[in-house]
Each structure stands twice: as C-alpha cells, then as structure tokens.
Amino acid sequence: MKSIFTSFLQLFVVSLLLCNVAYAQSDTNEDSHTITITIPEVALLDIEPNASKNISATFTHSDEAGDPLAAPANNTSLWLNYSSILKAGGATARAVTVSITSGTAPGVSIKVVAGTATGGQGTLGTPTAQVTLTGSAQSIITGVGSAYTGDGASQGHQLTYAFEAADANYANLRSNAGSPDVVTVAYTLADN
C-alpha cells in the first residue's frame, strides 16, 4: 500500500506537469509588431553656385570694318541640382523644363544644354539635345525618377550656355551698352 506521502508526491508531480503544459500553451516562442514608414513626396530644384548664378554675355567686335560681332565664349559655370521622390501610384517620371520668363535680347539666340549628371543616386534624368530658349517651356532633362544629384557646384547637371547673333537675326541687333538687355531664365521640375 502506498503511503500518503507517495500519493501526495505523485499528485504534486502531476500537478506541476499540468501547470507547465498550461503555461507553455499560453506563451509562444515568437512575437511581432509593425513599423510604419512614411516617405514624403519631394520635387526640389536649384541652380548652383547660388551666390553667383547670374551670368553676363558680352558680344565684341574686332574693330575691322566688315567683320560681324563675335559671340562670347560658352558659359559653363552653373550646375542644376534636384531632389525627387515620386508619389506612389502617381507619375512614373519627371522632367526639367526651361524657358525665358521675362526680358528679350533682340537678334540674340540663347542656347542651353545640360550635361550628364555627376554625383547623386537613384534614377537621374537624361539630358535632351541643346535647346534655343523661348518663352515656351522646353524639356532639357527627362526621365527623372526618385533620385538626388548632390548639392552644389560640380554636382548634378552642368549647364552650358551658348550665345549667337545669327545672320538671319542680325538685322534685329541694337546697341544697348548703356542699358543691357536682361533675360530671366527659369527651370522647373515637374511630373511628366
């Protein structure tokens, strides 16, 4: 016959086992939680170096009768920087357009081309061919996705400006040495 102590011990051991089984069933060996990530839509553009982004173009003459004006050298001092994050479910790309927003220079053609991007990461845009500036917006860089060019001179797309007093427009030229013509050129980064 079993002693009461043995019976009690067996009952105690069975109780402990049942408690451990019940405890093990209420906990698991893994758990989880969520992380909410928010990405803002971004479309920012600027011209660098910011402190000296206004340029001058001075035509010259050889002082020899019969010679045309000589155009100024191409200007390559400016860089176009941008940051772009596309909106989910929105446009698949953006473009940079350029236009003259104020002023004229009769008889003078202003042309600009953007170089291939230097620096940055992501889907950087592809430059178009050289454009002759007008009052209408024209694409100068296409296919900009979520990307950044880097900030400052020597980052992004180098801009090359060329100036021309073409024979076809030569009759429109007028001396303005006392009051030079000022043309404002604007760049815009927007969804295609």
Side-chain angles (χ1 to χ4, degrees):
M1 178 155 131
K2 292 183 181 179
S3 74
I4 291 183
F5 178 74
T6 305
S7 295
F8 177 74
L9 186 59
Q10 288 174 340
L11 184 61
F12 179 73
V13 169
V14 169
S15 295
L16 279 178
L17 289 173
L18 288 175
C19 286
N20 282 339
V21 169
Y23 178 75
Q25 290 175 352
S26 68
D27 262 346
T28 64
N29 65 348
E30 68 178 61
D31 200 353
S32 64
H33 68 94
T34 63
I35 299 174
T36 302
I37 299 172
T38 304
I39 305 290
E41 182 180 6
V42 177
L44 298 171
L45 173 142
D46 70 359
I47 299 168
E48 297 286 346
N50 195 36
S52 59
K53 64 183 171 185
N54 296 325
I55 59 178
S56 295
T58 302
F59 285 79
T60 58
H61 195 270
S62 68
D63 291 330
E64 181 63 40
D67 284 348
L69 288 178
N74 289 352
N75 184 297
T76 59
S77 64
L78 301 179
W79 292 79
L80 189 69
N81 297 170
Y82 53 77
S83 295
S84 172
I85 300 292
L86 297 173
K87 183 177 180 180
T92 59
R94 292 185 166 132
V96 176
T97 59
V98 61
S99 64
I100 293 175
T101 58
S102 69
T104 61
V108 175
S109 295
I110 304 170
K111 299 178 180 191
V112 65
V113 65
T116 301
T118 300
Q121 292 294 322
T123 306
L124 297 164
T126 302
T128 64
Q130 182 182 59
V131 297
T132 301
L133 298 180
T134 67
S136 299
Q138 301 173 72
S139 291
I140 188 168
I141 299 170
T142 60
V144 177
S146 291
Y148 67 93
T149 60
D151 182 35
S154 300
Q155 297 291 313
H157 300 268
Q158 186 174 30
L159 301 174
T160 300
Y161 281 92
F163 307 91
E164 181 181 282
D167 289 346
N169 299 324
Y170 213 83
N172 296 325
L173 292 172
R174 298 292 182 268
S175 174
N176 59 12
S179 180
D181 295 319
V182 177
V183 175
T184 302
V185 179
Y187 290 85
T188 304
L189 173 64
D191 292 351
N192 279 353

